[in-house]
Amino acid sequence: MTTEQSAAAHTGTDVVLEARGVTKHFPVRRTGGDVLARRRRTVHAVDDVSLKLRRGTVTALVGESGSGKSTVARLLARLYPLTAGEIQLGGEAVGAGRGRSFRTYVKQVQLIFQDPFASLNPVHTVRYHLTRALKIHGRAGDGDADLQKSLAALLERVQLTPPHQFLDKFPHELSGGQRQRVAIARALGADPQVLLADEPVSMLDVSIRLGVLNLLRDLKERLHLAILYITHDIASARYFADTTLVMYAGRIVEGGDSETVTQHPAHPYTQLLIASAPDPDRVADEEAQEEAGSGEPPSLITPPDGCRFHPRCPKAMERCRTEPPPRFDLADGQWAACWLYDGAEGQEAGK
Ligand SMILES: Nc1ncnc2c1ncn2[C@@H]1O[C@H](COP(=O)(O)OP(=O)(O)OP(=O)(O)O)[C@@H](O)[C@H]1O
Ligand SMILES: [Mg+2]
C-alpha cells in the first residue's frame, strides 16, 4: 500500500483533534452601580462542547450569531485558555502552556479567519506572507531555490496560477477570493493536519464562495486534512460538509452526517434553522425568523435553565424548563440533545 493509499484508507476514521467537555466563560466587568450589580458576572459562551475532527473529513459547525462558534474555533486553536474540559491532538491531551508543545500544536492546527483583508498585512506582499509562514514552521528549505519551489507549490495548491503573477502582489491588488486563497496558502505553509475555517466565505461575493469551498474540499481530499467549517448557512453545510454539528447558545444540540441532519433534522432548533433558511439569502432568513415568532437568542450571562432553547421551542415540555437534556442517539449516527427523544425512539448516549 502506498502512503497515499494508506492515508486514504484511514480517511474519515482517524480522529485528529478532539474536544471533550470544552467550556469557556468570559468574565464581564461592570463599573458603577450598587454592590450587587458590580458582582463578577460571566458570559457562558461555550458550555460542555465535545466534538471530533477526523482526517479527510469536513465537519460543519452551524448556528446563529453569538452561539459560540468562533469561541469554539479559538479554543481549538488555543488562542484562549479553557475554563473547563480538555483538547486532545492525535489522542494526547494538550496542556495549557505556551512553550514548545504549543508551537508544535499551532503548526498542526491552523485557523483561517472570516476576513482575509484583516488577516493579511496590507503593507506586505504575498511573497512576504508565505515566506514568513514557511520560515516560522521550519519549511523554507535550504537556500533560495528551495524557497522559490515551496512558494510556487503553495500558490498552486490554492489554484493561484501561474504563481509568479501573484507573488509580488499586495493584498489590495487581489480580489476577496484571491485574498482568502492566500490566507489558506499561508495556513498550508505550516503543513497542518487540521484547518479551522471560521466563516471562510461569508465575506466573499456569492459568486466566488463556491470556488473557495471547492478548494477546501480539494484540500481535504488531497491532503487528508481535518477541516472544521464554521457557518451560519446550514444549506452550505449540506453541500460541503460530511458531518454537521448544530450549536445553540453555547451548546451543541444536534450532530450527525450532513445529509441526515439537513434532510431529517431532529432537534426543534435545527428544524427552525432549516425552515427559516432554505437558501443563503440573508433577507429571506430574517423574514422567516420573524414569521416563526422565534425571538432572540437568550442572554449568555443568565442562560435559561434546562434546555437553553426551551423559551423559543414550539415543542417545549415541562422538564425542558428545568433539566438540561443529554445527548440521545438516533439512527445512523445522528444524535440530539432534546427530551423529545427520551424513550422508545432513542437511547441515552451518555456523555
Ligand atoms: N473575548 C470575549 N469576551 C467576552 N465575551 C465574548 C468574547 N468573545 C465572545 N464573547 C461572547 O461570547 C458569545 C459567543 O460569541 P462567538 O463570537 O463565539 O459567537 P459566534 O457564534 O461566532 O457568532 P457570529 O456568528 O456572530 O460570529 C457572544 O455572546 C459573545 O459576545
Ligand atoms: Mg463568529
Side-chain angles (χ1 to χ4, degrees):
M1 216 188 248
T2 66
T3 316
E4 187 127 314
Q5 279 169 332
S6 86
H10 289 134
T11 288
T13 53
D14 281 3
V15 175
V16 186
L17 191 64
E18 179 170 358
R20 294 185 170 192
V22 160
T23 297
K24 183 69 187 176
H25 294 171
F26 292 108
V28 194
R29 279 191 193 84
R30 290 171 51 111
T31 49
D34 58 25
V35 176
L36 266 185
R38 270 186 284 145
R39 235 178 36 197
R40 256 174 96 105
R41 307 208 298 171
T42 55
V43 178
H44 298 236
V46 171
D47 260 320
D48 197 16
V49 160
S50 296
L51 56 83
K52 291 176 178 169
L53 302 183
R54 295 170 195 276
R55 190 180 307 285
T57 302
V58 175
T59 302
L61 184 61
V62 186
E64 64 200 331
S65 191
S67 55
K69 305 179 300 295
S70 295
T71 306
V72 168
R74 296 199 163 112
L75 292 170
L76 292 177
R78 293 181 63 192
L79 295 181
Y80 298 143
L82 305 178
T83 304
E86 183 178 89
I87 293 171
Q88 293 191 353
L89 178 65
E92 293 198 5
V94 300
R98 297 264 134 183
R100 192 157 166 228
S101 75
F102 176 71
R103 287 198 295 279
T104 313
Y105 185 92
V106 169
K107 182 166 153 42
Q108 305 291 345
V109 182
Q110 287 277 308
L111 186 58
I112 296 165
F113 296 95
Q114 181 174 13
D115 181 359
F117 214 24
S119 67
L120 299 174
N121 188 329
V123 304
H124 288 302
T125 60
V126 171
R127 182 191 300 280
Y128 174 91
H129 284 99
L130 300 186
T131 302
R132 193 158 177 269
L134 287 168
K135 285 194 170 153
I136 286 173
H137 298 293
R139 302 189 61 244
D142 289 332
D144 193 54
D146 272 6
L147 175 63
Q148 297 311 323
K149 233 161 118 185
S150 301
L151 290 172
L154 279 180
L155 286 174
E156 273 161 12
R157 191 143 276 164
V158 297
Q159 296 150 15
L160 290 177
T161 52
H164 67 82
Q165 279 190 9
F166 294 93
L167 274 172
D168 295 311
K169 292 239 156 76
F170 287 90
H172 72 267
E173 296 176 296
L174 301 170
S175 72
Q178 289 170 341
R179 278 198 290 270
Q180 195 57 297
R181 285 170 194 264
V182 171
I184 294 168
R186 179 175 60 179
L188 295 179
D191 194 23
Q193 295 189 50
V194 180
L195 283 186
L196 307 170
D198 190 356
E199 308 215 36
V201 297
S202 62
M203 292 194 63
L204 305 180
D205 285 347
V206 174
S207 58
I208 55 173
R209 288 181 185 175
L210 200 57
V212 173
L213 289 182
N214 283 337
L215 167 65
L216 287 172
R217 178 144 64 186
D218 176 70
L219 296 174
K220 160 193 103 166
E221 282 163 8
R222 277 179 204 238
L223 307 179
H224 310 291
L225 294 177
I227 299 181
L228 181 69
Y229 167 59
I230 291 180
T231 182
H232 283 94
D233 174 18
I234 196 162
S236 75
R238 181 185 174 199
Y239 160 77
F240 173 60
D242 305 281
T243 301
T244 292
L245 303 171
V246 180
M247 196 159 181
Y248 183 78
R251 293 179 187 270
I252 299 182
V253 297
E254 175 163 1
D257 78 72
S258 298
E259 186 71 16
T260 311
V261 170
T262 54
Q263 293 304 293
H264 307 286
H267 197 286
Y269 174 61
T270 317
Q271 292 166 359
L272 173 75
L273 259 190
I274 286 172
S276 60
D279 60 57
D281 186 318
R282 275 281 165 80
V283 179
D285 183 10
E286 278 165 18
E287 276 174 6
Q289 288 212 353
E290 263 170 42
E291 241 171 60
S294 49
E296 292 279 307
S299 156
L300 293 179
I301 295 179
T302 48
D305 286 337
C307 171
R308 289 186 178 175
F309 187 59
H310 86 256
R312 291 169 77 182
C313 182
K315 296 174 184 160
M317 303 173 287
E318 201 45 46
R319 72 191 307 191
C320 306
R321 297 175 216 287
T322 51
E323 295 176 62
R327 293 181 175 195
F328 292 101
D329 274 336
L330 310 170
D332 303 323
Q334 187 180 16
W335 62 265
C338 175
W339 287 118
L340 287 174
Y341 302 97
D342 183 20
E345 285 157 275
Q347 285 173 351
E348 191 173 325
K351 287 174 109 189

